[in-house]
Amino acid sequence: MKLWQNVFSTDIDSLADAFNRSIDFDKRLYRYDIQGTIAHVNMLAKQQIITNDEGNRIVDALKTLLTDIENGTVVIDETYEDIHSFVELYLTEKIGAAAKKMHTGRSRNDQVALDMKLYVLDQVKEMQKALVELIDALIQTAQAHTKTIMPAFTHLRKAQPSTYGHYLCAYIEMFLRDLRKVTLVEETCLANMPLGSGACCGNTYDIDRMYVAEQLGFEDITYNSLDGVADRDYILDFLYAMSMICMHMSRYCEELILFSSEQFGFLSVAQAYSSGSSMMPQKRNPDMAELIRGKTGRIYGSLLQMLTTMKALPLTYNKDMQEDKENFFDAVNTTLSSLHIFTAMHKTLIIHKEAMYLSAKDSYITAVDAADYLVKKGIPFRDAYSAAAKLVNYCIDKNIYFHHLTTEEIATIHADFDAGLLEAVTLENSLASRNQIGSPAPEMVEVSLEKYLQRLAAYKGSATF
Ligand code: ARG
C-alpha cells in the first residue's frame, strides 16, 4: 500500500518498489516523525483546519503508536515505502477517516526535513554529552600530571621539554573546539523549523508555522519554502563536526599506539581495552585505538558522499536526497561509540612517568636553553645558536648528555658558558622558565586547566542535554 497508490493505473514494478523503499533505514526516525506529526496536527486543530475532536483522536492514536513501537507491541512493517507512509496508513487502519486528514497542508518533503532536524538535535545532545565526559576525563588526568616531564616532538624527533599534563591540554583544546562546532550545529538547526514549506511552495491553508516550531522547541522557522525542503546543510555541518572529532581522536590514538609500544614505553593500555594475538602469546595489541583511527576514514567517507550527493542538485527536493540517511546514521553511531570507548580507554591508561622522564633526560631537548642562556648575556641569537650547536655536537662525539658535562668542558666551547649554563639546561629549569600562558611550566598549565574548567562549567550551565 502506497500513499499515492490510487493515482497510478498500474502497480510499480517489484524491483523498482524495493529500490525506492527507504523504510528499512528511515524507520529509525519513527519518534521524530510521530513527534512532528503531533505538533502539526495540534496546529491544524488550533487553526480549525480539522476539528478538535479529529485532532484529539489523531494525537491520541499517535501517542499510543509511539508507546507501542517503543515497548515492542508494534513492529514497523517494512513493506511500506517509508516511515511517513507507515505512520499515516497504520493510523488510518486504527482510527479510520480522521487519520486521512493528518497530512493536510504538509508534504513528505517538508516532513522529512523536519524529521531529520529533530534527529540531528537529539544526536547533537548525545555528542555534547560524550564530549563533555571526555574533556572532564582529560582535565582530570592533566591535573595529576603537570609535573610529569616528557619530551615534546616535532617531526617525531625529540624537540623540547613538555609535561604529560601540557600534552593533554592540547587535546582538551581540540575537543573544546569540537564541542563548540557541535553546539553551532544545534543552534543552526534550532533556528529553522521547515514544516509548512510543503512540497516546495508552501500551501493554501491558514497554518501557524510558529506554533509548530514552538511545540517542538525551535526558536524560529525557515523563511523560504524552496530552501526549506532542499536544505541539507545541517547534515553536512554535523558530518564535518564529526569528522573533526574523529580526526582529533585519531591523532591521539596514533600517539597512544606509538607511546604504548615497546619502543617508547610511556604508557600502557589497560588489558580491558587491549586485544591479544591468536598466535603470539606475548602480544598486547592496542586494537581499540587502531579501530578508532581506522573508523575515522568512514566518517570522512560519509562527509564526502553527502557533499557529492548535494553538489549538482537542482532546487528543490530530489530523491537523491534520500541518500542523506544510511551513511549519516552510521557516522553518528560510529562517532558516538568511538567517543565512549576512547574516554574509557583514556581513563584506564597506565602512565609510566620514569620512561617519559628518561626519554627527555637522554636527549638534547634543552639545546635552545643553552643558546637562550647566551642571548640573555647579550650575545646575538645566531651566534648563541652556533655555540649551542657546538655543545650538542661535542656531547654527541663523546656519547654523553648535558647532565654529564663539567664546567671546565663547557668553558672550552664558549667563554660565556659557565656553571649557570649547567643549571639552565636541566629539564626542570627549562620547563620552569617556559612560563608564558600556554607554555609547559607547571603553574602555567594549571592556569590553562583553570580556564578549561571554567569553559566547561559555563558550557554545562547552558547545555540542554
Ligand atoms: N524517503 C524520502 C526521503 O528520505 C522521503 C521524502 C519523499 N518525498 C518524495 N517526494 N518522494 O527523502
Side-chain angles (χ1 to χ4, degrees):
M1 179 68 180
K2 308 267 178 303
L3 290 171
W4 40 270
Q5 188 96 353
N6 49 14
V7 179
F8 282 28
S9 49
T10 57
D11 276 347
I12 187 170
D13 169 79
S14 63
L15 280 180
D17 188 22
F19 194 67
N20 192 41
R21 220 179 285 144
S22 55
I23 194 154
D24 61 314
F25 49 87
D26 68 19
K27 65 180 178 187
R28 172 187 304 258
L29 298 174
Y30 73 86
R31 195 177 311 135
Y32 313 108
D33 201 71
I34 293 174
Q35 221 179 315
T37 305
I38 290 175
H40 176 67
V41 171
N42 280 337
M43 182 277 290
L44 291 178
K46 179 180 94 70
Q47 297 299 96
Q48 292 301 297
I49 297 167
I50 61 173
T51 67
N52 283 337
D53 178 55
E54 286 164 338
N56 289 338
R57 287 179 55 213
I58 304 172
V59 169
D60 285 349
L62 284 166
K63 286 182 178 162
T64 309
L65 174 60
L66 181 59
T67 331
D68 287 349
I69 296 174
E70 229 118 66
N71 65 25
T73 322
V74 169
V75 176
I76 297 168
D77 179 349
E78 293 191 20
T79 59
Y80 287 94
E81 184 180 345
D82 51 30
I83 187 64
H84 327 295
S85 312
F86 169 76
V87 171
E88 182 175 328
L89 295 169
Y90 177 89
L91 243 66
T92 309
E93 219 171 85
K94 282 278 161 194
I95 62 168
K100 293 188 187 171
K101 295 196 173 180
M102 67 192 234
H103 207 56
T104 315
R106 184 176 74 165
S107 155
R108 278 185 295 172
N109 296 355
D110 55 352
Q111 186 179 358
V112 78
L114 174 63
D115 289 5
M116 287 300 276
K117 281 199 169 168
L118 291 171
Y119 167 80
V120 167
L121 284 170
D122 238 19
Q123 300 308 313
V124 155
K125 287 191 182 21
E126 292 305 311
M127 209 63 73
Q128 289 166 327
K129 247 192 271 179
L131 280 170
V132 165
E133 233 172 81
L134 167 59
I135 297 166
D136 257 334
L138 291 171
I139 291 178
Q140 270 187 39
T141 324
Q143 280 170 332
H145 290 284
T146 55
K147 295 195 172 100
T148 305
I149 296 177
M150 69 179 269
F153 300 86
T154 63
H155 313 268
L156 202 55
R157 269 52 173 176
K158 294 179 194 179
Q160 292 194 317
S162 174
T163 64
Y164 187 49
H166 184 235
Y167 163 82
L168 288 177
C169 285
Y171 283 97
I172 297 170
E173 292 271 357
M174 294 178 225
F175 292 118
L176 277 169
R177 289 198 291 272
D178 291 337
L179 191 55
R180 183 180 286 191
K181 273 194 203 73
V182 167
T183 304
L184 250 166
V185 177
E186 184 186 29
E187 285 168 19
T188 316
C189 255
L190 284 175
N192 298 295
M193 199 291 296
L195 208 70
S197 302
C200 63
C201 288
N203 60 70
T204 56
Y205 304 95
D206 176 27
I207 59 168
D208 182 348
R209 299 186 60 209
M210 212 48 212
Y211 180 63
V212 177
E214 279 159 17
Q215 291 177 77
L216 296 168
F218 285 88
E219 281 153 15
D220 208 345
I221 53 176
T222 53
Y223 286 87
N224 179 275
S225 63
L226 306 175
D227 182 59
V229 294
D231 170 29
R232 293 293 181 273
D233 292 5
Y234 54 100
I235 290 176
L236 282 159
D237 290 343
F238 200 16
L239 281 168
Y240 174 65
M242 290 190 285
S243 298
M244 294 294 278
I245 293 171
C246 289
M247 184 266 282
H248 293 147
M249 283 197 284
S250 183
R251 290 184 78 169
Y252 174 107
C253 285
E254 169 70 17
E255 288 174 336
L256 185 60
I257 294 160
L258 285 170
F259 291 166
S260 63
S261 68
E262 291 92 339
Q263 296 89 322
F264 278 84
F266 289 1
L267 307 162
S268 298
V269 178
Q271 287 202 9
Y273 299 99
S274 308
S275 289
S277 153
S278 63
M279 188 197 186
M280 298 168 283
Q282 83 280 14
K283 293 299 285 295
R284 298 281 179 273
N285 294 329
D287 288 27
M288 304 306 133
E290 290 170 330
L291 275 172
I292 293 170
R293 188 179 58 183
K295 285 176 194 291
T296 300
R298 242 162 92 179
I299 313 299
Y300 294 178
S302 306
L303 173 63
L304 213 66
Q305 174 253 305
M306 196 54 199
L307 282 167
T308 314
T309 298
M310 296 304 291
K311 83 173 173 56
L313 287 189
L315 291 177
T316 55
Y317 178 84
N318 302 270
K319 195 64 176 255
D320 316 43
M321 285 154 79
Q322 180 165 287
E323 290 298 314
D324 65 356
K325 296 186 182 58
E326 285 160 287
N327 284 343
F328 179 53
F329 293 157
D330 175 70
V332 171
N333 292 341
T334 305
T335 306
L336 279 173
S337 60
S338 295
L339 271 170
H340 293 141
I341 287 284
F342 185 87
T343 304
M345 180 173 65
H346 169 78
K347 280 180 164 173
T348 51
L349 283 179
I350 302 138
I351 293 137
H352 304 304
K353 289 188 190 185
E354 335 67 53
M356 288 183 180
Y357 186 75
L358 277 180
S359 167
K361 195 161 178 240
D362 290 349
S363 76
Y364 305 101
I365 60 175
T366 56
V368 179
D369 299 79
D372 291 346
Y373 182 75
L374 292 182
V375 170
K376 284 170 191 160
K377 289 188 168 207
I379 290 152
F381 177 77
R382 197 46 61 209
D383 298 336
Y385 171 92
S386 299
K390 256 176 147 179
L391 189 73
V392 172
N393 290 335
Y394 175 84
C395 290
I396 292 173
D397 279 350
K398 297 197 81 179
N399 200 17
I400 56 170
Y401 293 108
F402 294 160
H403 53 270
H404 298 116
L405 289 165
T406 63
T407 38
E408 293 73 44
E409 277 176 300
I410 55 174
T412 64
I413 295 170
H414 194 285
D416 286 306
F417 277 160
D418 50 24
L421 173 86
L422 297 181
E423 284 298 305
V425 295
T426 65
L427 292 171
E428 288 76 6
N429 288 337
S430 167
L431 262 184
S433 54
R434 298 177 181 283
N435 59 357
Q436 310 83 8
I437 290 189
S439 291
E443 72 273 17
M444 286 301 114
V445 172
E446 269 155 31
V447 169
S448 296
L449 284 166
E450 201 44 53
K451 195 80 178 169
Y452 302 147
L453 279 171
Q454 282 167 13
R455 279 197 212 158
L456 207 59
Y459 181 79
K460 283 181 190 167
S462 64
T464 46
F465 56 75

